Amino acid sequence: MDDRIFKYLNLTLVFLYPVAWGAPLISAGLLPLFGLEKISILSGIASIWDTDPFLALMVISFAIAAPFIKVVSQVAIDFWSRPILPKWAALLLARFAMADVFLIALYVAIVKGIGIGRVTTEWGIYLFSACVISSLIVTLQNARTSP
């Protein structure tokens, strides 16, 4: 497969990640009779910030900073041949970026399992998951083809 496909796939992530951060991931509500509140990564961080700033910083680090820095680093290599991160750091960031998808899935499973509230997935969860998985594919392809 042509390496240019992976370069441009990675470049599109620079634009798709910010959309995914603001996109609704889930709709959650306490009881089925009440309306559901749409929750995005950014709105989740804002609501967590007041009660637990450390947790908010963790979410910012693993859901926003880690994947975005990794993607921008690879774009710099692909289009300008200038790495801004060592290769081992980019691989480490890719692993951290996958942790947030697991945590969102765990949250949805727990809330649905308790049966108190109502949670439905929204289109943003698919966009965000596609961004993370695409980034992982690009990272694996780059690791396979680089000397």
Side-chain angles (χ1 to χ4, degrees), residues 2-14:
D2 192 2
D3 285 340
R4 288 180 297 171
I5 292 171
F6 295 103
K7 290 179 181 181
Y8 287 104
L9 174 62
N10 199 45
L11 182 62
T12 61
L13 292 175
V14 171

Side-chain angles (χ1 to χ4, degrees), residues 12-88:
T12 61
L13 292 175
V14 171
F15 302 100
L16 288 177
Y17 262 124
V19 173
W21 298 330
L25 300 175
I26 59 173
S27 294
L30 186 56
L31 297 172
L33 300 174
F34 298 108
L36 298 176
E37 182 180 345
K38 294 187 186 295
I39 300 169
S40 69
I41 291 174
L42 295 177
S43 68
I45 291 169
S47 66
I48 293 170
W49 189 264
D50 292 334
T51 57
D52 194 347
F54 179 74
L55 180 59
L57 288 173
M58 295 294 289
V59 173
I60 291 168
S61 298
F62 296 124
I64 295 177
F68 198 69
I69 291 169
K70 186 190 79 63
V71 166
V72 169
S73 174
Q74 188 59 48
V75 166
I77 293 169
D78 290 342
F79 291 95
W80 297 287
S81 300
R82 299 187 142 209
I84 58 174
L85 286 177
K87 191 173 210 169
W88 64 268

